[in-house]
């Protein structure tokens, strides 16, 4: 006698993948930046005008990467932070890969 697979009726399962996007410097949650950099003064010095990227899960920013152009074709990552509830899932690595790819597409080489 074969085994039957359970049938789920009336159950809708939706898996939403993490989204990685560019966001404005004013959209970055400072509380999240404080996870990686405890100095509000330093954050206030590099955030305005920065190039910012986010990892978004179910419409919530769960990770950010803040980059500043420091010379022609050269950028520096000033902060990368993942919400503690979302750490150890590879989100930071994927956010970094996305950031580097986007920067390369914009002509940054270093």
């Amino acid at each position: 006698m074969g085994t039957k697979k359970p049938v789920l009726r009336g159950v809708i399962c939706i898996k939403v993948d993490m989204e990685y996007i560019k966001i404005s410097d004013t959209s970055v949650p400072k509380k999240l930046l404080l996870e990686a950099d405890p100095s509000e003064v330093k954050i206030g010095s590099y955030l305005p005008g920065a190039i910012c990227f986010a990892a978004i899960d179910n419409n919530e920013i769960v990770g950010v990467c803040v980059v500043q152009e420091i010379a022609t074709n050269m950028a520096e990552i000033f902060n990368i932070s993942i919400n503690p509830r979302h750490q150890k899932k590879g989100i930071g690595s994927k956010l970094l890969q996305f950031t580097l790819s986007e920067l390369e597409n914009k002509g940054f080489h270093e």
Side-chain angles (χ1 to χ4, degrees), residues 11-30:
V11 176
I12 298 173
C13 297
I14 299 173
K15 171 80 170 100
V16 177
D17 290 326
M18 191 71 57
E19 182 180 11
Y20 297 91
I21 63 170
K22 182 175 187 260
I23 61 173
S24 70
D25 59 344
T26 58
S27 299
V28 175
K30 288 186 184 163

Side-chain angles (χ1 to χ4, degrees), residues 23-64:
I23 61 173
S24 70
D25 59 344
T26 58
S27 299
V28 175
K30 288 186 184 163
K31 182 179 180 182
L32 190 52
L33 294 177
L34 288 167
E35 291 288 332
D37 186 348
S39 172
E40 288 188 45
V41 172
K42 284 175 116 180
I43 291 170
S45 71
Y46 62 70
L47 185 58
I51 305 167
C52 304
F53 302 93
I56 300 178
D57 184 31
N58 293 321
N59 294 319
E60 175 190 1
I61 296 175
V62 299
V64 292

Side-chain angles (χ1 to χ4, degrees), residues 87-107:
Q87 291 177 1
K88 308 276 186 209
K89 298 178 183 177
I91 296 169
S93 295
K94 289 179 185 171
L95 178 58
L96 182 58
Q97 288 173 347
F98 176 78
T99 298
L100 295 175
S101 176
E102 289 294 301
L103 291 172
E104 186 176 10
N105 290 340
K106 293 183 184 308

Side-chain angles (χ1 to χ4, degrees), residues 55-74:
I56 300 178
D57 184 31
N58 293 321
N59 294 319
E60 175 190 1
I61 296 175
V62 299
V64 292
C65 185
V66 178
V67 179
Q68 277 282 358
E69 182 174 0
I70 58 172
T72 303
N73 301 325
M74 186 183 296

